[in-house]
Amino acid sequence: EIKNVAGTAEEKVILASPVMAQGNIEDWLPALEAEMQRSVRRDCSHCSRDISLVISEKPVRDFANVFIAQVALLGLQLIWTNDFQVALQRMLREKDRAIMSQTNKKFLQIMSELIQVCLQGDLTKLDRTKYETLVTIHVHQKDLFQEVWKKAKEAKVKDENDFEWLKQTRVYWKTETDHAIISIADIDFVYSYEYLGCKERLVITSLTDRCYLTQSQALGMFF
């Protein structure tokens, strides 16, 4: 009876329903894969409900500690996408001059809290990898926000439908389907919920972003 899926760094995904490893492997292995994806999706759904509490009611570490690294990272991307898009809408449509500064302050606060965790000397190997990964991704997110904010102040970005925003890798949680959607330009992908383990990430550069954009367009055209 398989009750959880474990990564190399002692991280575990508790399966919603145990899978019996009996009979032909071609029968129970696909069942295990499907249950793994269902369980990760369950955790992502729980995470999507908590993102509004981060900073305002819950420190970043308390939020991230509840979830596996992969889900915590998705939550961080959901926060960034939602707050960024709302800030653009309020700045450019409602002429709210303070919203971008407030949003930038929140992103800086998230960064500060993540760095404080990384500076602690008593972290396990799993937690250090997890929080360093969150820092790596959020550094890029913070820089992108400030870059688009600068262009918005120069009137080079008109609203949330501007390509400067749409070309970014945006992550949404669609409550009507209970799915995470990754959007790049005009292409949408449903998150696969495949458990990836707790892995280190490479720094994201502007070249990486261009690769994401080009490859997503190719996938969207079925190349």
Side-chain angles (χ1 to χ4, degrees):
E1 186 181 56
I2 303 174
K3 296 182 178 180
N4 57 63
V5 178
T8 56
E10 301 179 0
E11 186 179 60
K12 294 181 180 179
V13 176
I14 299 174
L15 299 180
S17 300
V19 176
M20 300 301 296
Q22 59 186 19
N24 296 327
I25 189 172
E26 59 267 26
D27 295 328
W28 64 261
L29 190 57
L32 176 61
E33 181 183 16
E35 187 59 35
M36 172 265 294
Q37 291 176 306
R38 190 164 76 92
S39 300
V40 172
R41 182 184 176 187
R42 171 205 61 198
D43 292 348
C44 290
S45 181
H46 293 163
C47 174
S48 71
R49 300 189 195 109
D50 285 355
I51 59 172
S52 62
L53 305 177
V54 176
I55 298 298
S56 61
E57 299 181 32
K58 183 181 292 188
V60 176
R61 186 173 189 177
D62 289 353
F63 166 77
N65 280 347
V66 173
F67 304 105
I68 60 174
Q70 176 179 344
V71 175
L73 176 58
L74 182 75
L76 196 66
Q77 292 171 309
L78 286 169
I79 293 169
W80 178 81
T81 301
N82 179 73
D83 289 10
F84 198 153
Q85 186 156 314
V86 168
L88 281 176
Q89 290 172 339
R90 291 179 58 180
M91 177 190 180
L92 300 168
R93 292 188 179 183
E94 301 174 21
K95 307 304 179 183
D96 186 338
R97 297 186 178 183
I99 187 62
M100 294 297 276
S101 179
Q102 293 169 359
T103 304
N104 186 57
K105 184 178 179 180
K106 179 177 179 178
F107 291 160
L108 291 175
Q109 179 65 28
I110 291 174
M111 176 59 66
S112 176
E113 291 189 22
L114 290 173
I115 291 172
Q116 287 302 314
V117 176
C118 291
L119 292 176
Q120 296 182 10
D122 59 346
L123 290 180
T124 64
K125 181 180 179 182
L126 169 62
D127 282 342
R128 185 162 299 282
T129 301
K130 176 180 180 176
Y131 281 96
E132 286 177 353
T133 296
L134 295 177
V135 168
T136 299
I137 300 302
H138 193 61
V139 163
H140 182 62
Q141 293 184 155
K142 175 183 67 67
D143 291 346
L144 284 177
F145 177 81
Q146 293 174 347
E147 179 183 319
V148 175
W149 182 16
K150 180 181 178 181
K151 291 181 179 179
K153 288 190 290 187
E154 297 171 350
K156 295 179 180 178
V157 175
K158 296 180 180 179
D159 55 29
E160 74 279 6
N161 296 313
D162 195 284
F163 186 67
E164 285 297 325
W165 166 238
L166 295 180
K167 73 178 183 181
Q168 310 301 338
T169 302
R170 296 162 287 123
V171 183
Y172 302 93
W173 187 264
K174 300 297 184 180
T175 54
E176 58 271 21
T177 59
D178 210 30
H179 270 303
I181 303 295
I182 295 89
S183 301
I184 304 178
D186 59 344
I187 306 297
D188 296 330
F189 303 96
V190 177
Y191 193 72
S192 69
Y193 308 105
E194 181 179 357
Y195 177 55
L196 303 175
C198 186
K199 303 291 186 182
E200 294 179 349
R201 301 294 181 97
L202 294 174
V203 173
I204 302 176
T205 67
S206 56
L207 177 59
T208 314
D209 284 330
R210 287 196 292 271
C211 289
Y212 287 164
L213 179 59
T214 303
Q215 291 166 355
S216 65
Q217 289 295 303
L219 286 170
M221 292 185 286
F222 304 105
F223 283 117

